[in-house]
Amino acid sequence: MASPFPRLLPSLPFSPSSPPPRIFPGKPLPRLRAAVSAALQWNRKPQLAGETPRVVVVTSGKGGVGKTTTTANVGLSLARFGFSVVAVDADAGLRNLDLLLGLENRVNYTAVEVLNGDCRLDQALIRDRRCPSLELLCISKPRSKLPLGFGAKALTWVVDALRSRPSGAPHFVLIDCPAGIDAGFITAIAPANEALLVTTPDITALRDADRVTGLLECDGIRDIKMVVNRVRTDLIRGEDMMSVIDVQEMLGLALLGVIPEDSEVIKSTNRGYPLVLNKPPTVAGLAFEQAAWRLVEQDTMTAVMVEEEPKKKGFFSFFGG
Amino acid sequence: MTVFATSTLPFQSIYPQGIFSDWVLARGQWSGLRMSYRKSSRVTAIRASAEVPDSGVHDDASAPAVRKEIELEKRVVSLREMVNAFPPVPVLKETSTSKVAIGLCISVAILAIARKIMLKQEDRSYQGSVADLVRRGQIRSDRRGSKAFQALRGSASTSEMIIRDFFKLRQSVWLCAPCLSLKPMKYDDPFNNPYVKTDKSSSTVEMFGKVYRLAPVTLTAKEKSMHQKRRSRAYQWKRPTIFLKEGDSIPPDIDPDTVKWIPANHPFATTVSDIDEDLAQNNVYQKDGVPFRVKAEHEAMQKKLEALQNEQRVNEVSINLNSIDYFDQPIRSSKLQEQGFSNPQNDGSDSSSTNHHKN
């Protein structure tokens, strides 16, 4: 886990990973350290690891497991952390990342128009007004056609152009991969260095996820992390659903996040307002933020939350005991 | 506080005193009438009592006129007594405190009523997030299958609709608040905030009222590499580099595993060779300036415009030239006649003259 001390204050006399200085030799100051960390806690930011731009493809194989929701929420979380993010909807035929982000009325140009010379790349990028460091790029409109086999090259050029743009390369490029392992999948994984595999704890999704993982490894993508979505802890407790540990044992992938089932997901989709922006935060929103944090620091989960039976209240519980 | 101006004249009220005073108080309080004191009745009564003539003294000369006057005055007096028989209207002296009190009472009443309506509307106007889909234009409200929703919209009164719109506006403002605010959005640490309480001693986490136990992950590096080997044996895949349609032959030096066959009925089975890849790449890497196609279209339109303009000029010139021939001919013929030459058309020398002109 990353150090709790942020790197936003370089004037601190101590480095973030080293213990605080001792004013009185031989006598550490735990209270001072706790006070400082408490004061700085609200402004804590994750520490970026790896080379930028980090090109991450969000894929699953099976449709409907939550790839687009994960892309939207993780992307917005990263933008809120202060990183510049470009989210690419690589589904040429069925575009819906703009719907989740509430930007569907602002999509005028797509990557196809950029390729055809109707606009420049910066004109096709849609900046989210809620969080200006997040930009959206759609591959194509439903009516236009991107030739098979050309999409992979085009997306690679797009990512390369983003890397060398005058305003600076983005920190993250999140590619929302379409379902399946057809041309759209091949297009989406072409420029990626890392993969975020989204799955649900059911056997059909796990089988497809395993196959997709195999294809990703064949294509040279080795850094693959897993997000288990739509987890019902009550069903897991009643052994009606596979646990996250079982899923990990089946796939053998590092765990980036566990997203519990939340009805707010549907509401946020209807509103076009991603879950992570809700205040107060929801369970799934917090889980997405935690997953985004781990993605930034290239960290993984070391423990999983298992729901326990609620504590039985005693006779004097209403007195506060 | 109302102050009643009392009349100097004694009068007999037709109502019992208590009721009369309550009634007047009530009238004064609710209607806020400005009650005037009738001075004329006092003056007239005094005049009437003072000017009643003695019945025993008579002037023989003006008796009928005096009698008429007396009768008129009696009538006037009787009429005024009838008017005075009505309960007097007391005068209210308004103060600023009464205005404040009245205003306060009215505002409190309005607030209470509005709050009641708002509370009712809050339950009814929150129609769920599907209403946001209607707002975004993704679905049409008249095509929704929910009859309850339609009934609610149809039965809403004007005031309820205004309050509902107010709630929607408030919600939309709240949703847009982050974009309206100039300060960056403050976020809470997802690992350490009031909603997530970690107890390291018992390895439990309390989130949103539920208690979870932390179970450590059991995946080791060895198991991870084992899975990778399993997958590498199970899935053999190479990225396709050539896309061929059904019926096309495979080039000789191409690995068959890298060939992707496109079915004829594939929705995106467009030909690959239609696109100029170099041009497309340049378009993607363009940083500034006018995009290629827009520039090309602009240049094409400019050329077309120039061509049209040139064509117009040519047409104008040709028209002018034609007009010169037409007008020149009769002048020349008249000149020739003056000089004694015959009509070229009659002599057959027209062709020579025209040839000379053309030359």
Side-chain angles (χ1 to χ4, degrees):
Chain A
M1 292 291 285
S3 166
F5 294 98
R7 288 182 179 174
L8 296 174
L9 302 173
S11 60
L12 284 172
F14 50 89
S15 66
S17 56
S18 65
R22 297 179 175 187
I23 297 175
F24 299 103
K27 288 188 179 179
L29 297 169
R31 285 187 187 175
L32 176 64
R33 182 177 179 174
V36 167
S37 65
L40 298 173
Q41 200 68 35
W42 67 273
N43 204 22
R44 192 163 80 102
K45 282 182 70 175
Q47 298 175 17
L48 183 61
E51 286 184 14
T52 55
R54 288 178 57 185
V55 187
V56 182
V57 60
V58 182
T59 182
S60 69
K62 189 172 183 298
V65 298
K67 294 183 294 298
T68 308
T69 306
T70 302
T71 308
N73 284 284
V74 168
L76 207 50
S77 294
L78 294 171
R80 286 179 66 198
F81 291 153
F83 301 108
S84 54
V85 182
V86 174
V88 180
D89 190 351
D91 197 339
L94 303 172
R95 186 184 78 199
N96 48 19
L97 183 58
D98 54 334
L99 272 175
L100 252 74
L101 291 172
L103 302 174
E104 69 274 13
N105 294 328
R106 295 179 55 200
V107 179
N108 293 319
Y109 297 119
T110 63
V112 169
E113 277 80 31
V114 177
L115 289 165
N116 292 335
D118 292 325
C119 69
R120 298 191 307 268
L121 181 58
D122 59 301
Q123 292 171 328
L125 289 169
I126 303 157
R127 195 175 293 273
D128 192 340
R129 288 178 187 141
R130 294 165 298 203
C131 213
S133 53
L134 175 67
E135 292 169 293
L136 171 68
L137 174 69
C138 298
I139 283 289
S140 70
K141 291 178 182 173
R143 292 182 186 175
S144 59
K145 291 182 181 179
L146 196 65
L148 289 171
F150 185 66
K153 279 185 197 172
L155 197 54
T156 307
W157 293 337
V158 165
V159 172
D160 200 37
L162 287 171
R163 190 180 280 122
S164 60
R165 64 178 180 177
S167 55
H171 293 107
F172 288 90
V173 177
L174 293 182
I175 303 172
D176 183 22
C177 180
I181 50 173
D182 207 346
F185 170 78
I186 297 167
T187 299
I189 68 170
N193 306 323
E194 306 171 36
L196 197 60
L197 189 76
V198 182
T199 184
T200 53
D202 64 279
I203 192 66
T204 54
L206 288 177
R207 181 198 277 186
D208 294 348
D210 190 62
R211 186 173 176 88
V212 163
T213 308
L215 297 180
L216 289 169
E217 287 169 347
C218 289
D219 203 41
I221 299 172
R222 295 286 169 174
D223 188 357
I224 306 169
K225 292 190 179 67
M226 182 173 61
V227 170
V228 184
N229 197 14
R230 307 187 73 172
V231 172
R232 293 275 303 270
T233 50
D234 55 338
L235 292 181
I236 292 172
R237 198 178 68 211
E239 297 193 353
D240 286 321
M241 184 181 266
M242 280 193 286
S243 68
V244 178
I245 304 287
D246 296 333
V247 170
Q248 194 176 33
E249 282 177 1
M250 280 190 72
L251 293 179
L253 295 172
L255 203 57
L256 190 75
V258 175
I259 316 298
E261 178 80 60
D262 195 346
S263 59
E264 286 295 324
V265 172
I266 299 170
K267 294 177 190 174
S268 70
T269 306
N270 290 341
R271 292 193 189 105
Y273 198 75
L275 210 56
V276 293
L277 295 177
N278 282 17
K279 280 200 171 181
T282 59
V283 181
L286 268 181
F288 277 123
E289 283 196 45
Q290 291 175 359
W293 194 289
R294 293 188 197 99
L295 181 67
V296 172
E297 296 188 337
Q298 289 187 326
D299 196 8
T300 56
M301 286 181 79
T302 53
V304 174
M305 292 194 303
V306 177
E307 187 173 339
E308 284 209 319
E309 290 286 343
K311 287 180 183 176
K312 288 182 183 177
K313 295 182 180 177
F315 180 76
F316 298 103
S317 61
F318 57 87
F319 286 122
Chain B
M1 182 83 180
T2 57
V3 175
F4 291 100
T6 55
S7 170
T8 54
L9 284 177
F11 66 91
Q12 219 169 8
S13 172
I14 59 175
Y15 300 104
Q17 193 64 31
I19 293 173
F20 168 73
S21 61
D22 290 338
W23 177 78
V24 168
L25 274 170
R27 280 193 68 184
Q29 191 175 8
W30 283 102
S31 62
L33 292 173
R34 181 111 192 227
M35 303 181 185
S36 59
Y37 176 62
R38 295 174 185 262
K39 295 182 185 174
S40 57
S41 58
R42 181 170 60 177
V43 172
T44 308
I46 293 167
R47 201 200 319 162
S49 60
E51 292 180 358
V52 171
D54 189 8
S55 56
V57 177
H58 291 286
D59 191 359
D60 292 335
S62 60
V66 170
R67 279 181 202 157
K68 278 183 184 176
E69 278 182 12
I70 291 167
E71 280 174 6
L72 277 170
E73 282 178 359
K74 278 182 184 175
R75 280 181 195 170
V76 167
V77 165
S78 66
L79 273 172
R80 282 182 178 155
E81 280 173 3
M82 274 173 66
V83 169
N84 287 337
F86 285 105
V89 181
V91 173
L92 273 179
K93 191 178 178 183
E94 287 190 357
T95 60
S96 60
T97 52
S98 64
K99 282 185 187 175
V100 169
I102 291 167
L104 199 64
C105 293
I106 293 169
S107 58
V108 164
I110 290 171
L111 278 172
I113 294 165
R115 187 171 176 273
K116 259 192 175 178
I117 295 173
M118 276 185 192
L119 282 172
K120 278 185 187 175
Q121 287 302 316
E122 202 167 341
D123 295 334
R124 265 203 291 174
S125 69
Y126 183 69
Q127 296 157 350
S129 56
V130 181
D132 290 289
L133 284 175
V134 176
R135 179 181 56 81
R136 289 164 72 186
Q138 297 298 327
I139 57 172
R140 285 172 56 174
S141 58
D142 57 344
R143 286 186 180 173
R144 286 200 63 201
S146 171
K147 292 182 181 177
F149 173 77
Q150 289 171 0
L152 273 173
R153 282 192 72 86
S155 64
S157 64
T158 309
S159 61
E160 290 173 350
M161 283 176 73
I162 290 169
I163 291 167
R164 189 190 304 143
D165 291 339
F166 166 73
F167 264 102
K168 281 184 186 173
L169 178 66
R170 191 183 74 171
Q171 194 177 9
S172 61
V173 167
W174 178 77
L175 289 174
C176 296
C179 74
L180 293 174
S181 65
L182 297 174
K183 294 179 185 175
M185 287 172 62
K186 186 179 169 184
Y187 65 93
D188 293 325
D189 187 344
F191 296 102
N192 187 10
N193 58 70
Y195 302 98
V196 180
K197 293 173 189 173
T198 310
D199 187 3
K200 289 181 182 177
S201 59
S202 59
S203 298
T204 55
V205 175
E206 190 179 335
M207 270 180 71
F208 296 91
K210 285 187 179 176
V211 179
Y212 300 91
R213 179 176 53 86
L214 291 173
V217 165
T218 57
L219 186 72
T220 59
K222 189 179 174 182
E223 285 172 356
K224 200 174 172 182
S225 64
M226 189 184 73
H227 278 283
Q228 282 178 352
K229 283 177 188 170
R230 173 184 62 80
R231 281 190 289 261
S232 65
R233 284 194 297 268
Y235 308 113
Q236 304 286 337
W237 179 75
K238 286 183 184 177
R239 173 175 282 276
T241 54
I242 292 184
F243 292 80
L244 299 173
K245 288 182 185 173
E246 288 178 5
D248 293 344
S249 59
I250 302 172
D253 55 342
I254 298 297
D255 185 2
D257 291 335
T258 61
V259 175
K260 173 81 177 178
W261 294 99
I262 303 169
N265 58 350
H266 196 281
F268 299 116
T270 56
T271 54
V272 181
S273 59
D274 288 347
I275 296 173
D276 184 356
E277 291 192 9
D278 293 333
L279 179 62
Q281 191 174 4
N282 289 336
N283 290 336
V284 171
Y285 283 102
Q286 185 177 1
K287 301 285 188 292
D288 51 11
V290 182
F292 171 77
R293 182 176 276 189
V294 174
K295 197 174 178 182
E297 283 176 358
H298 179 70
E299 285 172 359
M301 281 184 67
Q302 265 193 330
K303 281 181 187 172
K304 195 175 178 181
L305 194 64
E306 283 172 9
L308 279 171
Q309 284 173 351
N310 288 337
E311 197 179 328
Q312 269 185 346
R313 281 180 208 155
V314 166
N315 288 339
E316 281 172 10
V317 167
S318 63
I319 287 166
N320 288 336
L321 288 172
N322 288 336
S323 64
I324 288 168
D325 277 339
Y326 179 75
F327 287 112
D328 268 337
Q329 204 166 0
I331 295 169
R332 283 179 67 227
S333 62
S334 63
K335 278 186 180 174
L336 284 170
Q337 279 178 358
E338 283 173 5
Q339 292 171 6
F341 286 104
S342 58
N343 193 353
Q345 286 183 357
N346 295 331
D347 292 343
S349 61
D350 186 33
S351 61
S352 61
S353 64
T354 53
N355 285 335
H356 176 73
H357 171 70
K358 281 180 185 175
N359 291 334

